[in-house]
Amino acid sequence: MESKDHEHHKASGPGKSKSKHNVLRSAGKYIRRHWKVVPILPKDKAPRRKNWQRERIKESEIPDYFHEGDNIGILWGEPSHWPVDVDLDCNEAVAIASRFLPKTDSVYGRETRPDSHYLYQCKGIEPIKFNDPEPSDPEDACLLELRSTGQQSVVPPSIHPSGERVRWEKRGEPASVSPDELRIAVGQL
């Protein structure tokens, strides 16, 4: 299945790289967790394929969709059996998040914002976004958002557009929380 925005690439043979940043291997690990992966162009955050929300890539199809060096997105919410991402988009939210958000053993980020994504298991929750009502830069108004069904985030070992590697801070399982508990915590934060 060809796309104008992202060509399909064949992985370079069975002797794939053993690097801890191997995109093909990482995509397989996510699929084995029942998380739906989304191919993202290198150093980008937005999917470039049409209908990415409906794609369901199987582990055997990874080499058809991903090229080493691509970024990986996870489709949150219902398609992936309800993992959700609390994405902290400002330094102030990152600094105080642990005081408000439920404890979880699944956290990732990048060097300049290491704890900026908190993952939870939260069946049925809808996305929520909080913007600064008076931003100094309208392009940078988002303070934090809870990403769920119909949304994705770039995950390790992707490269953020800043050039920083996205990495795990805590590699455990996302904490199970109720929608009410998570909505309240995100709202307080």
Side-chain angles (χ1 to χ4, degrees):
M1 170 175 282
E2 285 293 318
S3 167
K4 292 178 186 172
D5 297 326
H6 190 295
E7 294 179 27
H8 286 139
H9 304 281
K10 291 287 180 191
S12 54
K16 297 180 211 164
S17 165
K18 300 284 188 213
S19 164
K20 68 180 180 177
H21 303 305
N22 182 290
V23 170
L24 303 174
R25 191 174 72 235
S26 295
K29 286 181 180 180
Y30 291 128
I31 289 171
R32 287 190 295 278
R33 289 184 87 166
H34 304 289
W35 292 2
K36 304 307 177 201
V37 294
V38 179
I40 310 287
L41 290 174
K43 293 186 180 180
D44 205 345
K45 295 188 333 183
R48 294 292 183 237
R49 298 174 58 80
K50 293 180 180 181
N51 300 314
W52 59 268
Q53 296 95 333
R54 290 193 287 274
E55 274 188 337
R56 303 296 183 263
I57 298 169
K58 296 176 184 159
E59 190 169 2
S60 63
E61 298 173 325
I62 291 170
D64 296 331
Y65 287 88
F66 286 90
H67 183 256
E68 193 59 46
D70 279 354
N71 282 346
I72 303 172
I74 297 295
L75 185 56
W76 302 116
E78 187 274 328
S80 294
H81 304 282
W82 293 106
V84 298
D85 174 23
V86 176
D87 178 10
L88 309 174
D89 284 328
C90 70
N91 293 333
E92 296 83 356
V94 171
I96 62 172
S98 64
R99 296 183 204 160
F100 294 94
L101 295 178
K103 183 182 180 310
T104 183
D105 290 326
S106 194
V107 178
Y108 72 92
R110 53 192 162 97
E111 187 174 339
T112 57
R113 277 204 188 128
D115 298 321
S116 56
H117 292 264
Y118 284 62
L119 303 185
Y120 297 96
Q121 221 29 64
C122 190
K123 186 175 182 178
I125 196 160
E126 296 290 324
I128 305 169
K129 186 172 185 176
F130 292 90
N131 286 330
D132 185 340
E134 297 178 12
S136 55
D137 177 3
E139 295 291 316
D140 203 21
C142 185
L143 300 173
L144 65 111
E145 62 182 307
L146 189 157
R147 292 185 177 160
S148 186
T149 303
Q151 298 177 311
Q152 64 86 33
S153 303
V154 175
V155 295
S158 299
I159 303 291
H160 187 269
S162 68
E164 296 173 293
R165 177 145 330 260
V166 179
R167 64 186 190 205
W168 288 106
E169 299 301 321
K170 294 182 181 179
R171 291 180 183 261
E173 290 299 312
S176 290
V177 295
S178 73
D180 286 342
E181 179 183 4
L182 194 53
R183 271 191 295 270
I184 289 168
V186 168
Q188 288 174 334
L189 175 56

